[in-house]
Amino acid sequence: MSNDIWVVGELRGSEPSPWTLELVSGASALAAENGGHVTVLIPEGSDAGALERHGAETVVSIAGAAEQPPVEVTVAAARELLATERPRLTLFPDSLCGRDAASQVAAALELSFVSACERITLSENSAIRSCFRGQLSATLDLPAGAAIATVCEHTFQARETREAGHAERRSVEPQSDGRVVVTDTVAPDPEALGLQEADVLASGGLGVGGPAGFELLERLARLVGGTTSASRAAVDQGWVPRSKQVGQTGVSVTPRVYFACGISGALQHMVGIRGAGKVVALNTDQAAPIMQEADLAAVGDAAEVLPLLLNELDNGGTS
Ligand SMILES: Cc1cc2nc3c(=O)[nH]c(=O)nc-3n(C[C@H](O)[C@H](O)[C@H](O)COP(=O)(O)OP(=O)(O)OC[C@H]3O[C@@H](n4cnc5c(N)ncnc54)[C@H](O)[C@@H]3O)c2cc1C
């Protein structure tokens, strides 16, 4: 694997932007610690001398960039070059254009992507960024393969560390344009549209054990006039569509009753059910976090309890 670091820079007029120079200095410091070569990819017409003085060892200018939209031309050039060069890390400024371009390139090349980094430690394969409006800092994995990161302004200090005149200079003309092409549109799952309106949600997690467990929850939901939802772990297993996911990266729900079956109650799940009326939890583990939060907590095996519950409801609660 290459240890090289690339910076995809931006221009301010005909000069590399100050943010770009910070990234070049940062890349140069990271390369000094961990090895690797520093390459800067930037629209043509920029002052390569300034980039060199801040640590660039190769400057690749994007030909014809002045006549094209900056994000599209940057995406096209970066996509083509990074696909073959596969540097260890590619840094973009966390600017509007930088974020836009970086995420498109990462998606196109299926590379790991971390945004808004405030610190990068390559020796530990980690990056730090703020979350929850700056109240917390998260340490994220920066996988050892090729990765893309956008970096906040002033994360690195711009420093001139060498003389200009030694860097390799090349020019590249993208073969494609970086325009986004809509290839398909996917209609939302009609059932999931009801998630936020549902009066009762029968929600399953890893503890329901698989699609068969979700079929029981479907039957339960139909009997009580609600619908089903799920934890992210169950969605990740492919047991239910992602549109059913409740939580921080899913849907926030406000049912009158939320029945959490085989869900542990991780923080990221619980933030999605803050608006629920009553929470009923079924879990084999009495100490699961959701059991402490629930209005009614039942200890039991979903595979045993759900059929009994369905039977009871099928019989109108008379058995
Ligand atoms: C950035 C980020 C965002 C995230 N966003 C979300 C999100 O939006 N929504 C979300 O849900 N998660 C989210 N997660 C994941 C979250 O941290 C948890 O990993 C996930 O919620 C766990 O799902 P789970 O409760 O189904 O699985 P587990 O945590 O594995 O819990 C399974 C539970 O089932 C119980 N159980 C086992 N067997 C049985 C049985 N036979 N009968 C009854 N109970 C049983 C166990 O005791 C356990 O409590 C996110 C994580 C991150 C890092």
Side-chain angles (χ1 to χ4, degrees):
M1 186 194 71
S2 141
N3 248 356
D4 296 346
I5 303 176
W6 281 52
V7 173
V8 179
E10 294 177 340
L11 290 183
R12 184 178 285 178
S14 61
E15 299 289 324
S17 71
W19 204 337
T20 298
L21 296 177
E22 289 176 16
L23 295 194
V24 179
S25 290
S28 176
L30 289 170
E33 280 170 28
N34 304 281
H37 183 97
V38 176
T39 298
V40 181
L41 175 66
I42 194 158
E44 70 179 349
S46 63
D47 173 8
L51 297 167
E52 282 187 58
R53 288 194 296 278
H54 286 79
E57 294 166 282
T58 299
V59 177
V60 183
S61 47
I62 308 171
E67 295 87 49
Q68 297 178 57
V71 171
E72 291 175 6
V73 74
T74 303
V75 168
R79 211 171 46 193
E80 287 169 24
L81 288 172
L82 298 183
T84 50
E85 303 276 346
R86 306 297 280 195
R88 157 82 184 85
L89 178 67
T90 303
L91 305 177
F92 287 71
D94 191 57
S95 59
L96 205 58
C97 291
R99 275 200 302 268
D100 191 355
S103 53
Q104 289 190 50
V105 174
L109 300 181
E110 296 187 0
L111 299 179
S112 306
F113 174 55
V114 181
S115 63
C117 297
E118 290 163 1
R119 195 161 134 200
I120 291 176
T121 313
L122 278 185
S123 56
E124 292 170 12
N125 292 327
S126 70
I128 291 182
R129 60 161 297 170
S130 297
C131 51
F132 296 108
R133 299 187 182 172
Q135 292 179 55
L136 292 176
S137 281
T139 302
L140 305 171
D141 280 346
L142 205 56
I148 289 188
T150 65
V151 180
C152 294
E153 209 166 9
H154 309 315
T155 294
F156 302 115
Q157 209 183 346
R159 289 176 48 204
E160 295 195 6
T161 51
R162 60 183 80 178
E163 297 289 312
H166 303 289
E168 183 196 345
R169 299 185 187 199
R170 330 194 234 132
S171 174
V172 61
E173 192 166 351
Q175 300 303 301
S176 58
D177 64 34
R179 266 180 231 155
V180 173
V181 179
V182 179
T183 56
D184 196 9
T185 52
V186 181
D189 176 357
E191 216 190 313
L193 290 176
L195 220 59
Q196 281 164 308
E197 295 83 43
D199 202 32
V200 180
L201 280 173
S203 201
L206 276 190
V208 303
F214 270 94
E215 276 170 29
L216 298 178
L217 287 176
E218 288 283 355
R219 279 180 56 201
L220 176 65
R222 270 198 301 275
L223 283 168
V224 297
T227 187
T228 54
S229 57
S231 72
R232 176 159 138 182
V235 169
D236 286 345
Q237 293 292 322
W239 299 342
V240 277
R242 192 153 298 280
S243 51
K244 293 257 179 195
Q245 182 184 319
V246 169
Q248 182 188 320
T249 43
V251 181
S252 290
V253 294
T254 54
R256 198 167 46 82
V257 179
Y258 186 78
F259 176 50
C261 184
I263 293 177
S264 60
L267 180 67
Q268 296 90 352
H269 188 82
M270 298 308 283
V271 294
I273 60 169
R274 274 193 300 225
K278 299 282 181 207
V279 175
V280 179
L282 171 65
N283 202 299
T284 43
D285 179 6
Q286 190 162 13
I290 201 158
M291 302 292 264
Q292 323 308 316
E293 303 276 330
D295 297 284
L296 180 63
V299 178
D301 183 339
E304 289 173 13
V305 176
L306 284 177
L308 291 175
L309 190 56
L310 287 167
N311 199 29
E312 185 76 7
L313 289 168
D314 279 337
N315 293 330
T318 53
S319 63

